[in-house]
Amino acid sequence: MTKINSQKYSKALLEIAQKQNKVKEILDEVKELTQLFETSNLKTFFASDVYSVEAKSQIIDTINQSASELMRNFLNTVRANGRLSSLMEILEEVNETADSMFKIADVEVVSSVPLTDEQLAKFSQLAQSKFDLSTVNLINKVDEKNSRWFCN
């Protein structure tokens, strides 16, 4: 599947989610599905021509049991259009498309000690204003190796 097709599917999902005020919910579901695909080899399963469409469809039915109505409709559309082998590519594209559509970014802050909530909030505000972002997903990584520089 081409990147253009993946972009079309992802943009359509995000536009519908936006109209229904469910962007955060759909992005959370996409994240969960992406993690599921990576940890359980479903990425390889869906991409492989060895497994039948029926076998892949059964997995979609299982996923649909706990999915939101919007995600069920999306997965069923992907299945109906014969795109299950590209599902992981489409899910990955949803995140990329959302980042650009809604100005979302992950920002990593490395510190020698864990930062307080107040400090994290300040970093988040700074990143939002500096990079014109609407949402910042702040990741605080602690690198204790550098703490000795501040203790002397």
Side-chain angles (χ1 to χ4, degrees):
M1 179 175 209
T2 66
K3 185 166 180 79
I4 292 172
N5 285 334
S6 295
Q7 289 171 337
K8 287 179 182 179
Y9 279 93
S10 65
K11 188 174 181 184
L13 174 63
L14 290 168
E15 286 175 350
I16 293 168
Q18 186 177 29
K19 286 179 186 173
Q20 295 180 5
N21 293 319
K22 295 183 179 180
V23 172
K24 181 178 178 352
E25 292 87 347
I26 208 67
L27 289 177
D28 288 344
E29 275 190 278
V30 167
K31 183 178 180 179
E32 287 177 27
L33 275 177
T34 303
Q35 289 173 344
L36 173 68
F37 271 53
E38 290 174 349
T39 59
S40 63
N41 289 329
L42 284 177
K43 181 178 183 175
T44 305
F45 175 80
F46 276 93
S48 174
D49 292 332
V50 172
Y51 301 102
S52 69
V53 173
E54 291 79 21
K56 293 174 185 180
S57 189
Q58 288 176 349
I59 299 294
I60 294 300
D61 288 339
T62 301
I63 292 169
N64 278 342
Q65 291 175 7
S66 61
S68 67
E69 180 181 359
L70 179 56
M71 182 57 76
R72 281 193 308 271
N73 290 339
F74 173 72
L75 293 172
N76 289 335
T77 299
V78 171
R79 174 175 36 196
N81 292 337
R83 303 289 189 193
L84 288 179
S85 62
S86 301
L87 184 55
M88 183 64 180
E89 181 183 329
I90 295 168
L91 293 173
E92 289 170 341
E93 188 62 40
V94 169
N95 290 319
E96 290 180 33
T97 302
D99 290 351
S100 62
M101 273 178 76
F102 305 116
K103 296 183 178 183
I104 301 170
D106 292 340
V107 175
E108 185 175 301
V109 178
V110 181
S111 59
S112 59
V113 295
L115 299 177
T116 65
D117 289 342
E118 184 179 320
Q119 290 168 321
L120 292 171
K122 284 182 182 180
F123 273 111
S124 181
Q125 290 170 352
L126 178 65
Q128 281 179 307
S129 64
K130 178 128 178 111
F131 301 108
D132 189 31
L133 299 170
S134 62
T135 304
V136 172
N137 300 317
L138 207 57
I139 303 158
N140 182 205
K141 293 211 174 170
V142 178
D143 182 2
E144 294 178 1
K145 293 184 291 185
N146 291 326
S147 65
R148 66 176 170 258
W149 293 101
F150 302 105
C151 295
N152 292 334

